[in-house]
Amino acid sequence: MTGMLLTGNAAVARGARLARVDYVPAFPITPQTEIIEALAGWIESGDMLGRWVTLESEHAMLTAAGAAAATGVRVFTATSSQGLLYAMEMLYTVAGWRAPFVLANVSRGLATPITLEPDHNDILAARDCGFLQIHCATCQEVLDNLPIAYRVAEDPRVRLPVIVNLDGFYLSFTREPVVLPEPQEVDAFLPPFEARDIRFRASQPESQAVAVLGGGPYSYFRYETHLAARNGLQVYAEAGAEWGERFGRVYDVLDLYRSEDAEICFVMIGSFATKAMAAVDALRAAGRRVGLVRPRLLRPFPAEALRQALVGKRGVAVVDQNLSFGFGGVLHGELCSALYGLADAPILLSFIGGLGGRDIAQSELFEMARLAAAADRGEAPPPRLLYTQEELREVRKLQTLAHAERNRLEDPGS
């Protein structure tokens, strides 16, 4: 094994190369472009075998990815933010085809207003399309989860596409030490795709999908996909355990950090969870029993594992890096559903933070832990947006400047 400093985007590209993907349909978008540039360079130079094609849009890119995967080709592609939404129609379509391939999404906030910084509203918009979702917190986790994602996607118990998600800028352009496994060792973990029940021969035309016009057959296929997605929990745990045996880094559906004896827990996904780990260490040093529970999978949702990790805790601070307008944090809502009706379920506090890359300070994590410890069991407090008076003053200053500029344009003589 070799250690290197890699960005999250480079880790994605290295992971796809280690998975020996055959086909990369691509379309660039910030902050994902570095991934496909790396893959294109390797394929052009002959350092990596495969076919790389630029499509005219993300919609076409997902169509090509699904069509190739449906013939038994190992496919990789990547996108971000508005690109993922532009491909939304095909996300549902190729998942319905049960086309097993991997898509890396580099999370970025959605318009409008426009930003290049990250939050999770893009990836959560795709949570019900049929793709499984793996959420990564570090560059090492990004690289390791690419081969694992193919193991899950191609398993006959699943046969669904998988999204590996990482935060734009916070991971995509940040270099971290990453251990690269030897290619032949990854080959042993991830053998070539055996498309046993996928047949595609020009001389033997065969339909791979049928038009279903009635609710009965439609319901059957939709529920079958649901059951296959549920199988993803077990398959991911098996693949993550085997990866641990081979390479020393075990992956399960939850990442539990000092949570076993904790009274108070943070629950969050993505790279900002590493900030919570640092806060946990500081609070532990001050004598507070605090931990972190981080779901790696959001689809399928690891509800039973979360129940086992959280029931009996005094309070749980759920930090959502997303905002469902008129509802609140998506992860908070999912967790409420998982814990509903259970005796000794903890009080859940909802915090919205990290929108558009807005940083979450350690002092804010300390305050969340204090509020979770002080919360009475019973009625949960309303969601809170992490926002400071200084940030509000900055917005007010910008609004004042914009108002003055508008007046100047309307009355040049003023």
Side-chain angles (χ1 to χ4, degrees):
M1 290 186 283
T2 305
M4 296 181 69
L5 277 175
L6 293 180
T7 63
N9 279 346
V12 171
R14 291 275 178 178
R17 179 173 168 175
L18 286 167
R20 299 195 186 281
V21 299
D22 300 302
Y23 180 48
V24 183
F27 189 82
I29 182 172
T30 302
Q32 157 265 28
T33 306
E34 191 179 58
I35 298 172
I36 59 172
E37 286 179 340
L39 291 168
W42 289 330
I43 292 174
E44 183 181 20
S45 65
D47 292 332
M48 174 178 164
L49 298 178
R51 180 69 182 266
W52 184 91
V53 178
T54 303
L55 278 297
E56 70 269 25
S57 70
E58 289 88 351
H59 189 283
M61 180 184 84
L62 261 293
T63 306
T71 68
V73 172
R74 184 169 283 165
V75 180
F76 170 80
T77 190
T79 190
S80 174
S81 186
Q82 302 294 133
L84 187 68
L85 266 59
Y86 191 33
M88 187 63 72
E89 179 187 3
M90 290 312 300
L91 293 180
Y92 279 82
T93 301
V94 300
W97 293 348
R98 306 287 297 273
F101 66 96
V102 174
L103 162 70
N105 184 67
V106 189
S107 268
R108 192 186 99 188
L110 297 168
T112 303
I114 193 74
T115 181
L116 297 180
E117 298 289 330
D119 65 40
H120 296 152
N121 272 98
D122 61 348
I123 183 66
L124 293 180
R127 65 178 173 159
D128 298 326
C129 69
F131 278 62
L132 309 192
Q133 292 193 7
I134 300 172
H135 290 255
C136 301
T138 67
C139 295
Q140 182 72 65
E141 197 166 297
V142 167
L143 182 137
D144 291 346
N145 273 276
L146 257 294
I148 292 173
Y150 280 100
R151 274 281 296 266
V152 176
E154 296 170 2
D155 190 289
R157 292 168 288 177
V158 179
R159 283 294 169 90
L160 284 168
V162 176
I163 296 176
V164 175
N165 196 72
L166 64 154
D167 289 330
F169 289 81
Y170 282 80
L171 274 191
S172 67
F173 299 141
T174 300
R175 281 182 168 78
E176 294 178 348
V178 175
V179 177
L180 288 170
E182 296 298 328
Q184 62 272 23
E185 294 177 353
V186 177
D187 292 343
F189 171 82
L190 181 67
F193 180 22
E194 287 291 341
R196 286 175 291 182
D197 57 349
I198 297 176
R199 295 177 294 275
F200 188 82
R201 297 289 184 276
S203 58
Q204 298 175 334
E206 181 177 339
S207 174
Q208 296 290 328
V210 295
V212 172
L213 302 178
Y218 181 84
S219 299
Y220 173 86
F221 286 113
R222 300 297 281 183
Y223 199 70
E224 191 179 49
T225 303
H226 166 69
L227 296 177
R230 295 294 303 169
N231 289 340
L233 289 170
Q234 179 64 31
V235 176
Y236 180 85
E238 293 171 2
E242 184 180 330
W243 187 270
E245 292 172 2
R246 292 179 180 274
F247 305 107
R249 296 179 294 279
V250 178
Y251 292 95
D252 205 344
V253 297
L254 300 182
D255 179 25
L256 305 177
Y257 185 71
R258 308 185 76 171
S259 65
E260 190 170 332
D261 67 337
E263 294 181 332
I264 304 300
C265 279
F266 299 108
V267 175
M268 54 199 302
I269 59 175
S271 64
F272 278 45
T274 58
K275 294 174 177 288
M277 293 172 68
V280 165
D281 289 342
L283 289 164
R284 286 273 179 173
R288 305 278 299 280
R289 289 165 56 186
V290 180
L292 168 70
V293 174
R294 177 171 65 88
R296 285 197 177 94
L297 266 62
L298 214 60
R299 282 295 181 273
F301 191 64
E304 181 55 37
L306 285 164
R307 292 185 197 110
Q308 293 179 17
L310 295 174
V311 166
K313 304 300 183 192
R314 183 176 175 184
V316 172
V318 186
V319 186
D320 271 286
Q321 202 178 342
N322 66 82
L323 181 55
S324 177
F325 302 134
F327 175 75
V330 172
L331 183 60
H332 176 258
E334 300 260 353
L335 204 52
C336 287
S337 175
L339 298 176
Y340 177 76
L342 295 178
D344 211 17
I347 190 82
L348 299 181
L349 285 78
S350 173
F351 299 93
I352 310 295
L355 299 181
R358 188 266 188 195
D359 199 10
I360 300 177
Q362 192 173 65
S363 59
E364 291 175 315
L365 290 160
F366 291 170
E367 179 66 5
M368 289 182 228
R370 188 191 70 78
L371 291 170
D376 295 326
R377 292 188 180 277
E379 186 175 352
R384 299 186 183 198
L385 173 68
L386 301 181
Y387 208 69
T388 65
Q389 288 294 326
E390 183 179 350
E391 287 171 315
L392 181 60
R393 282 194 293 273
E394 183 65 23
V395 170
R396 293 286 183 258
K397 185 170 75 174
L398 292 172
Q399 288 174 325
T400 300
L401 289 171
H403 186 68
E405 182 66 12
R406 180 186 299 170
N407 287 341
R408 188 188 68 78
L409 292 172
E410 291 176 349
D411 184 8
S414 64

